[in-house]
Amino acid sequence: MFRCPSCGKGRFKDEVAVACHMNQPRSGCNTWLHDIIWLDSVRTESMDVDDEELGGFTGSVNEEGISPTRDFIDWFPGASRTYGTGHTFLDIFNSDENSVHCATSLYYPFSGRKDWELASWQLHSGLSMGKIDSFLSLEIIQGLPLSFSSAKELRGRAEMLPSGPRWMSQVIETKHPTKSPVILYWRDPLDCISSLLNHPSFHDQLDFTPRKVYTTAQRLCCVYSEWMTGDNTWTMQSALPRGATLLGTILSSDKTNISMMMGDRVVHPLLISLANIPMSTRLKTSLNSFVLTALLPMPKFLHKKKCMHGVLEDRLVHQCLDLVLEPLKRAAHEGIMLSDPVGSTTLAQIATAHSKVDSNDIEAFFREAQKFHLNGVDKPFWQDWLFAEPSHFLTPENLHHLHREFYDHDVKWIICAVGETEIDFRFSALRPVMGFRHFHGGISKLKQVTGRAQRDIQCSIIVVSADAVPSAVMTAVRALTDFRYLVQSPRIDDRDIEHISTVLAKFHANKHAITAAGFHRGKGNKPIDNWYIPKIELMQNIAPSIRNTGITMQWSADATEHAHITGIKDPTRSSNNNNYDSQICRHLDCVDKCRHFDLATSLLDLRLQTNLDQHHVDDDIIDFDVDDDDDLPANLLSTVKSPGYACPITNYFAMAKVLQHREVGTIPLPLRTFVVGRTAFHLAYSLSIRAISIDDAALKFGLPDLRSAFADFLCREDTHGYGHIHPLGGARRAGSNASLPFNELQIWFKLQLQDTEFHDTTNVRPAQTLNCVPPSDIWTFGRYETVIVNNEDGHSWPADGLHGHVIAQIRLIFCPIRKMDTQGAWKDHFLTYVQHFNNSTEREPATHLHLLKRVKRSNGTRIDDVIPVTQLRAPVNVVPQFGASADPHLTQYNGMEHASEFWLNKYWDKNTFYPLLMYFDL
């Protein structure tokens, strides 16, 4: 009988049963998982993972300006000085008139933490006041010691919470009559920026110093990423007084439809953020880094000429923006003293980093204004803003420009070339991939397509249509696809910009083939023989924009589109459909108060608990000074969970690190979470098949060569020793009746692989599942994934691309159950049985895709091998070659077995695209 090394329980029949017992959360034996549970509750960004384990470097720099990523950095001298102390987040929180009560009751005006938790839940629930009253009238609720007994009283207590930037309203006079009064609701943008600057979530995250980043010490190749690496920031900082801090505002002004709730009505919000917040932080929707600053009025003008209505609306937008942003313009000229998260005060001067304005056609606006002599306020809002250059801050934006161009044009060209029925069938025959939408009905009839759906179509459109589109047309479409992927890189240098310009020129050199074939069509399906497409014209400005303001990814509208939902549509749903602007402001004011109150009380509660742990004193003798932040740990503010955080990514790199330092005998062995290079592996402790004979496994999975393949593996192990890279292929030496030092296998149907971002090894990506499932009712041939396999010693993925690697399909994941008294390094390691494809470097000229063929022996059987799981590197997407006309027998379930030739889809994932691009295109 076996005994659990953690809790001491016995009566387990074998080690497998012990492992399953230790992995069950309800068994009471989970002490060894304590560290893992803790890691899983913390955001991935805060994980402390060794650089050596990730196979890369962090982004810090030494005194000579050389980063461990081998970049060479020139910092702008004398930028961003501090002048004494200012106000921290808690200082502002404690300046409220009710803060005197917090000395005795931290959660005032609520009675305590539990009282506040229930109140917060109700305030965020979206329940009407009537439903809240109904809930509070329940007998079981009335028995609770709550500080409120009605919805009105609850809202009254919420109003007493410390306030953030306050909402104001103002009537706007117009020269032309409107159907209703024009009311502008807005907040001081300086207050909004101050709330971002001293917010604890951005502690130690703000970037204030312009810099030039180079790849070599000779400073010949410049690197662009964040806004502070662009040429504009260096130029702006040069024009500022020495020691002044440059703040870059991000403005987003775009209409959003609320017609589902309000008929044909729209709302025009103005959102503001800071380019000084790193994009990896700023674009996380859960961090609320975009603050709603104004609700621009959208009145109906009564001008007799309908063509003037749009002009008057655009003019009003700029008039309101000019009024709202006046404090920022003044700060740009004169400077203003602001405080950062740690309370240091700096002289800030505010510039425009990026602006997305709904009325983009400024030339048409001026033309119409001059025609009808509307000489009142005929200037755009940025006219008197220091350093405001429209050609720089009106930057390209991926969601509305690149992805929308793809769906509006590229997809239509391909559908026209392939045919609606054919393209729909090909998409329906694609294998479902985790995290990607499967288009069962095809794509030609889609009405509303989200940005994520556009991404999923873009990932497969080239491989799906590769054989059915004329070569020159495919070359043009492929060039545009390469262009979109290249400009979305989080790190772009001068060589990358040359490559971006080259692929865009390739499109323009081949675009005539699209019009010549009649694939470029407009309304009524009529051919168009010109290229007057603004979104394509805008692509010419992307390379200069990258040099001026940094990469385009940082200006993504994903975060602002999400803010439209949480900041506009959700509050509108809870309104009574009257005066919705004012109700939105009231709702958001309550949400901001609750969010800040929850964060502040969490910080103060944590500090109180820290003091208790350190000093071991009673509550009634604590000298608790809420105005002093000096005793807070440096990393405290970055680890406190704010409301709204998404579920953290399971970090198998960190888990493997924890398990390696556990004492022998306290955890099940062999470890099923481990790291090799930049890949983390995780196998479940619950086995898919606890024990099966090798012959039965070969029959169940359809692997007649399994026994001999394992015998050859053991032979190589004996010859070269443990840790040897097993090359795939070669003659089979062992016979089908080879003797093996084991009789049974443990089998898993799934394996989790996790890697890091290609450009940033400190950023852990979500784990991906490799399925290895035997035939079933739906998957009649089984479900087996394709993966990159390390095939030669001395090569690493992704640094070397496919050099020293092959593409293979995993067919079995197993661990032998050794016989008593048998020896061999293989007995404590996980193995996989794979069938690989050829590794030719030749590509199809038009698509630049790599054609894969199954490697077979002379008798027609597939070549397969047993290798350690540790040779796997990353999953890849392989798509059957459909030919000019797809085989009607193909389905999503049989494609990998039915087809004999495949495309390696480099567009499936950006982490795959970039290393394959290095291997194939450069």
Side-chain angles (χ1 to χ4, degrees):
M1 303 299 288
F2 290 80
R3 182 178 297 275
C4 174
S6 179
C7 66
K9 290 183 179 180
R11 296 178 299 178
F12 295 102
K13 64 178 182 179
D14 53 27
E15 293 176 345
V16 175
V18 175
C20 291
H21 157 75
M22 296 180 70
N23 194 50
Q24 292 298 319
R26 296 182 180 179
S27 69
C29 179
N30 54 9
T31 55
W32 74 274
L33 283 172
H34 174 77
D35 291 326
I36 295 179
I37 295 172
W38 174 81
L39 288 166
D40 198 35
S41 68
V42 180
R43 289 183 299 143
T44 301
E45 305 88 85
S46 62
M47 295 299 181
D48 180 19
V49 185
D50 287 346
D51 303 329
E52 184 177 344
E53 291 180 1
L54 295 179
F57 302 94
T58 62
S60 59
V61 295
N62 60 19
E63 295 179 355
E64 288 77 29
I66 305 174
S67 72
T69 55
R70 301 297 184 251
D71 287 336
F72 295 81
I73 302 177
D74 294 338
W75 301 94
F76 191 97
S80 182
R81 290 184 179 176
T82 58
Y83 304 89
T85 58
H87 299 289
T88 66
F89 172 78
L90 289 180
D91 290 334
I92 298 173
F93 177 80
N94 291 321
S95 65
D96 184 78
E97 59 184 3
N98 293 318
S99 63
V100 293
H101 301 287
C102 292
T104 55
S105 177
L106 177 60
Y107 290 89
Y108 181 87
F110 299 93
S111 61
R113 179 174 59 84
K114 294 181 179 180
D115 187 34
W116 159 243
E117 286 178 351
L118 181 59
S120 177
W121 177 85
Q122 290 184 322
L123 290 168
H124 288 91
S125 65
L127 295 175
S128 65
M129 296 187 71
K131 291 183 178 179
I132 291 177
D133 282 334
S134 178
F135 174 80
L136 293 175
S137 66
L138 296 175
E139 183 177 351
I140 191 173
I141 301 300
Q142 289 182 339
L144 299 177
L146 300 179
S147 62
F148 52 91
S149 59
S150 66
K152 184 177 180 179
E153 189 176 355
L154 171 62
R155 295 293 177 92
R157 291 186 178 274
E159 289 295 328
M160 297 171 62
L161 298 177
S163 177
R166 297 182 182 274
W167 283 95
M168 300 173 285
S169 64
Q170 180 174 345
V171 177
I172 305 297
E173 298 293 336
T174 61
K175 287 189 175 182
H176 295 269
T178 59
K179 190 174 181 179
S180 58
V182 179
I183 303 177
L184 169 67
Y185 292 87
W186 62 293
R187 299 194 276 190
D188 190 325
L190 284 176
D191 290 343
C192 296
I193 287 178
S194 297
S195 69
L196 289 172
L197 274 177
N198 61 26
H199 197 283
S201 294
F202 309 129
H203 170 70
D204 202 28
Q205 291 279 319
L206 297 169
D207 186 2
F208 294 126
T209 308
R211 58 191 176 275
K212 297 286 188 181
V213 184
Y214 302 92
T215 58
T216 63
Q218 291 76 25
R219 270 67 171 171
L220 300 178
C221 184
C222 195
V223 179
Y224 306 93
S225 54
E226 303 281 354
W227 181 62
M228 280 293 176
T229 65
D231 296 339
N232 276 4
T233 53
W234 193 278
T235 303
M236 292 177 185
Q237 189 73 56
S238 301
L240 297 181
R242 185 175 180 82
T245 297
L246 180 64
L247 297 183
T249 57
I250 302 175
L251 304 175
S252 176
S253 170
D254 198 1
K255 300 173 186 176
T256 183
N257 196 318
I258 55 173
S259 59
M260 292 181 64
M261 295 78 71
M262 303 296 300
D264 62 346
R265 293 186 179 183
V266 296
V267 175
H268 198 152
L270 171 66
L271 300 166
I272 193 168
S273 187
L274 284 174
N276 305 78
I277 303 173
M279 62 177 176
S280 59
T281 301
R282 186 176 69 246
L283 296 180
K284 282 183 169 57
T285 57
S286 60
L287 294 181
N288 302 297
S289 61
F290 283 84
V291 179
L292 181 63
T293 306
L295 289 174
L296 305 178
M298 295 291 297
K300 294 187 181 298
F301 283 91
L302 300 178
H303 198 283
K304 60 182 179 180
K305 295 184 178 181
K306 291 185 177 181
C307 63
M308 283 301 300
H309 291 182
V311 175
L312 293 171
E313 290 174 4
D314 289 346
R315 178 185 172 194
L316 179 62
V317 166
H318 282 267
Q319 180 183 353
C320 293
L321 287 173
D322 191 56
L323 188 153
V324 172
L325 299 174
E326 174 60 29
L328 298 185
K329 298 178 184 180
R330 190 166 58 251
H333 284 275
E334 303 170 1
I336 186 172
M337 304 302 289
L338 295 173
S339 300
D340 61 21
V342 296
S344 298
T345 302
T346 182
L347 174 64
Q349 294 194 253
I350 299 174
T352 49
H354 165 76
S355 181
K356 181 182 182 299
V357 186
D358 198 54
S359 52
N360 285 321
D361 193 356
I362 304 302
E363 182 181 353
F365 164 74
F366 279 123
R367 186 168 56 250
E368 294 296 329
Q370 184 177 12
K371 178 179 178 181
F372 291 98
H373 306 288
L374 302 176
N375 296 318
V377 187
D378 295 336
K379 66 183 182 69
F381 70 90
W382 59 76
Q383 182 169 299
D384 53 351
W385 196 334
L386 190 64
F387 307 129
E389 172 53 50
S391 64
H392 291 172
F393 70 75
L394 291 174
T395 64
E397 189 273 309
N398 292 339
L399 182 62
H400 293 90
H401 295 159
L402 295 180
H403 296 313
R404 195 67 213 178
E405 182 280 327
F406 162 76
Y407 192 75
D408 287 346
H409 301 287
D410 298 34
V411 172
K412 303 300 187 294
W413 301 334
I414 295 296
I415 291 176
C416 190
V418 179
E420 293 184 0
T421 303
E422 180 70 14
I423 197 73
D424 288 343
F425 173 77
R426 293 177 181 225
F427 267 94
S428 69
L430 292 178
R431 282 165 56 91
V433 180
M434 184 182 69
F436 286 77
R437 174 179 174 181
H438 185 263
F439 298 93
H440 298 278
I443 63 171
S444 66
K445 299 298 190 299
L446 295 177
K447 299 299 181 184
Q448 293 184 341
V449 182
T450 63
R452 185 168 184 174
Q454 292 177 24
R455 177 209 69 175
D456 296 346
I457 295 173
Q458 187 173 201
C459 292
S460 303
I461 193 75
I462 298 294
V463 291
V464 162
S465 58
D467 306 307
V469 176
S471 178
V473 173
M474 180 54 70
T475 299
V477 175
R478 187 265 308 167
L480 278 185
T481 304
D482 284 349
F483 177 87
R484 280 187 293 270
Y485 273 71
L486 288 168
V487 301
Q488 291 180 70
S489 171
R491 173 188 167 95
I492 297 177
D493 59 31
D494 287 330
R495 291 170 298 183
D496 296 327
I497 292 178
E498 292 179 6
H499 197 188
I500 288 169
S501 301
T502 299
V503 296
L504 185 58
K506 176 71 71 173
F507 162 74
H508 287 291
N510 290 272
K511 65 183 181 183
H512 66 278
I514 299 173
T515 51
F519 298 151
H520 184 31
R521 297 175 179 268
K523 293 183 178 180
N525 204 30
K526 295 181 179 180
I528 301 175
D529 61 356
N530 63 71
W531 286 96
Y532 302 145
I533 302 177
K535 289 182 176 65
I536 291 182
E537 289 294 326
L538 184 64
M539 291 180 178
Q540 303 287 347
N541 300 326
I542 290 182
S545 177
I546 292 172
R547 287 193 168 99
N548 287 328
T549 60
I551 60 170
T552 63
M553 278 293 293
Q554 64 184 316
W555 315 124
S556 171
D558 292 341
T560 57
E561 292 293 325
H562 183 268
H564 287 171
I565 297 174
T566 58
I568 301 297
K569 297 186 178 182
D570 289 346
T572 304
R573 291 188 182 98
S574 63
S575 71
N576 61 3
N577 294 343
N578 291 313
N579 301 320
Y580 58 91
D581 277 4
S582 60
Q583 293 195 55
I584 289 173
C585 295
R586 189 175 296 111
H587 177 96
L588 293 179
D589 186 56
C590 180
V591 169
D592 286 345
K593 287 180 177 181
C594 292
R595 184 183 297 125
H596 290 164
F597 185 77
D598 196 54
L599 179 57
T601 52
S602 297
L603 289 171
L604 294 172
D605 228 356
L606 187 58
R607 181 208 285 179
L608 177 62
Q609 185 61 45
T610 302
N611 288 341
L612 286 172
D613 292 340
Q614 291 177 348
H615 303 294
H616 303 285
V617 294
D618 296 330
D619 290 343
D620 55 355
I621 61 173
I622 292 178
D623 183 15
F624 186 63
D625 183 3
V626 295
D627 294 325
D628 185 9
D629 283 342
D630 293 340
D631 61 342
L632 288 175
N635 63 344
L636 173 62
L637 301 180
S638 63
T639 58
V640 172
K641 281 191 173 183
S642 294
Y645 272 132
C647 294
I649 295 172
T650 302
N651 190 328
Y652 292 118
F653 289 94
M655 285 188 180
K657 180 180 178 181
V658 170
L659 292 175
Q660 285 179 347
H661 293 85
R662 302 294 292 188
E663 294 182 5
V664 177
T666 62
I667 56 174
L669 293 175
L671 293 179
R672 298 182 187 180
T673 303
F674 46 92
V675 174
V676 176
R678 287 179 58 174
T679 305
F681 302 78
H682 175 72
L683 286 159
Y685 281 84
S686 298
L687 295 163
S688 301
I689 300 178
R690 289 176 176 268
I692 185 174
S693 70
I694 186 170
D695 294 327
D696 289 343
L699 183 62
K700 184 178 184 65
F701 286 82
L703 307 174
D705 203 28
L706 177 59
R707 178 178 288 271
S708 55
F710 195 89
D712 283 349
F713 166 81
L714 294 177
C715 182
R716 293 192 299 269
E717 285 281 293
D718 292 340
T719 302
H720 301 285
Y722 173 70
H724 165 68
I725 297 297
H726 293 255
L728 275 66
R732 176 70 67 235
R733 300 182 182 278
S736 57
N737 295 320
S739 177
L740 298 175
F742 62 89
N743 293 325
E744 295 182 315
L745 308 175
Q746 297 174 333
I747 292 180
W748 289 261
F749 289 169
K750 293 181 180 180
L751 167 67
Q752 298 283 337
L753 285 190
Q754 188 172 48
D755 58 1
T756 59
E757 292 286 352
F758 177 75
H759 293 95
D760 184 4
T761 58
T762 63
N763 191 6
V764 177
R765 299 188 340 129
Q768 300 187 63
T769 302
L770 292 179
N771 292 290
C772 191
V773 184
S776 61
D777 293 340
I778 298 178
W779 295 88
T780 54
F781 294 94
R783 185 176 185 180
Y784 308 107
E785 309 293 354
T786 50
V787 65
I788 294 174
V789 178
N790 185 278
N791 199 46
E792 294 180 21
D793 202 3
H795 294 281
S796 62
W797 172 268
D800 296 328
L802 282 184
H803 285 293
H805 298 81
V806 296
I807 309 299
Q809 184 182 40
I810 58 173
R811 301 301 297 258
L812 188 65
I813 302 169
F814 65 99
C815 181
I817 300 176
R818 66 182 186 275
K819 297 177 182 178
M820 297 297 294
D821 301 327
T822 56
Q823 301 297 324
W826 53 266
K827 67 180 182 298
D828 289 327
H829 296 281
F830 304 101
L831 307 173
T832 179
Y833 181 95
V834 298
Q835 297 172 342
H836 68 105
F837 301 87
N838 70 332
N839 208 34
S840 172
T841 58
E842 295 181 3
R843 296 173 300 156
E844 199 279 327
T847 62
H848 282 196
L849 294 177
H850 186 54
L851 182 63
L852 301 177
K853 298 181 180 180
R854 289 193 181 274
V855 181
K856 297 182 178 180
R857 294 188 175 84
S858 57
N859 61 2
T861 59
R862 299 174 184 176
I863 294 182
D864 36 37
D865 288 283
V866 170
I867 61 173
V869 162
T870 53
Q871 285 185 224
L872 307 183
R873 290 296 175 263
V876 289
N877 185 233
V878 172
V879 177
Q881 187 180 22
F882 290 105
S885 180
D887 187 338
H889 297 97
L890 285 177
T891 69
Q892 58 180 304
Y893 305 111
N894 66 13
M896 286 300 296
E897 300 302 318
H898 191 78
S900 58
E901 297 184 346
F902 307 85
W903 296 115
L904 175 58
N905 186 8
K906 67 177 182 180
Y907 300 108
W908 173 62
D909 180 74
K910 293 188 182 72
N911 238 42
T912 303
F913 175 82
Y914 295 120
L916 291 183
L917 185 76
M918 293 192 307
Y919 181 61
F920 291 130
D921 294 340
L922 299 181

